[in-house]
Amino acid sequence: MGIRNFLIEGVSGTGKTTVCDALQRRGHHAVHGDRELAYQGDPETGRPTDGFRHEHHIWNVTKVEALAADHSNPATFFCGGSRNFPGFLHLFDGVFVLDVDLDTLLHRIDQRVRADPTEWGGRPGDRELLTRLHRTQEDVPRGRVIDATAPVEHVVDEILRHALPSEDK
């Protein structure tokens, strides 16, 4: 829904949801992709699948295309992770990849799971997968890496500095 569209990605626990909330508080149009666009499906075909598997966490490409085509806002920030990002990456003017060290990442996941044991990261094998994904970055698109260990307001400032002309911040 922006004249310019940006993807904010990163491994689970890097702060995508927190950044999205902060952008919204500042009055920017930001979409919680994991809440508003995501479902379990085959990354190649888009067909829905049963159960939950990390590799089947995808976004509805038609919805992403529609939001990106609506130019009623100066910019839209799509925040979240998706295994089918290659199918819509071309719609974005820029990609920001949130990054933290492994200890910070695992601490954040532990806090999330303590608050809600059903959250991603709480099932057997999740921690090992998360550690591998952090190391390899295999399911994160390439983009401008943002140090997300900084306070969220600094992270958002850094994203906006690169995304928008000074008059739009």
Side-chain angles (χ1 to χ4, degrees):
M1 288 177 73
I3 294 171
R4 299 190 72 206
N5 296 288
F6 299 95
L7 177 62
I8 299 175
E9 251 274 19
V11 175
S12 185
T14 55
K16 300 176 297 292
T17 298
T18 302
V19 165
C20 194
D21 291 341
L23 285 163
Q24 289 175 343
R25 281 193 304 275
R26 290 189 187 193
H28 294 283
H29 187 255
V31 177
H32 282 284
D34 292 337
R35 296 178 187 163
E36 301 172 39
L37 303 170
Y39 66 99
Q40 287 289 294
D42 182 292
E44 298 296 321
T45 66
R47 284 192 289 270
T49 58
D50 292 329
F52 177 84
R53 293 183 61 180
H54 173 76
E55 60 271 19
H56 290 165
H57 181 82
I58 65 173
W59 287 3
N60 182 313
V61 175
T62 302
K63 287 183 182 179
V64 174
E65 290 170 340
L67 288 167
D70 180 344
H71 292 165
S72 60
N73 292 290
T76 295
F77 296 90
F78 293 75
C79 307
S82 172
R83 304 300 66 83
N84 65 333
F85 67 81
F88 55 78
L89 201 57
H90 65 282
L91 300 171
F92 297 105
D93 297 289
V95 176
F96 298 98
V97 178
L98 303 183
D99 188 43
V100 298
D101 59 272
L102 184 59
D103 288 339
T104 299
L105 185 74
L106 294 175
H107 176 73
R108 288 178 180 180
I109 295 297
D110 289 344
Q111 287 180 312
R112 179 193 299 174
V113 171
R114 270 195 296 280
D116 181 355
T118 65
E119 280 286 331
W120 194 86
R123 291 187 319 250
D126 285 353
R127 220 174 150 85
E128 292 78 19
L129 175 59
L130 184 60
T131 300
R132 186 187 89 220
L133 295 174
H134 178 269
R135 180 177 39 81
T136 65
Q137 298 290 302
E138 66 196 63
D139 63 353
V140 175
R142 294 179 192 257
R144 179 177 295 276
V145 176
I146 303 291
D147 178 5
T149 59
V152 67
E153 294 307 320
H154 295 287
V155 173
V156 171
D157 287 343
E158 183 72 5
I159 290 169
L160 293 175
R161 184 171 72 81
H162 293 289
L164 303 176
S166 59
E167 65 272 6
D168 291 336
K169 292 180 189 171

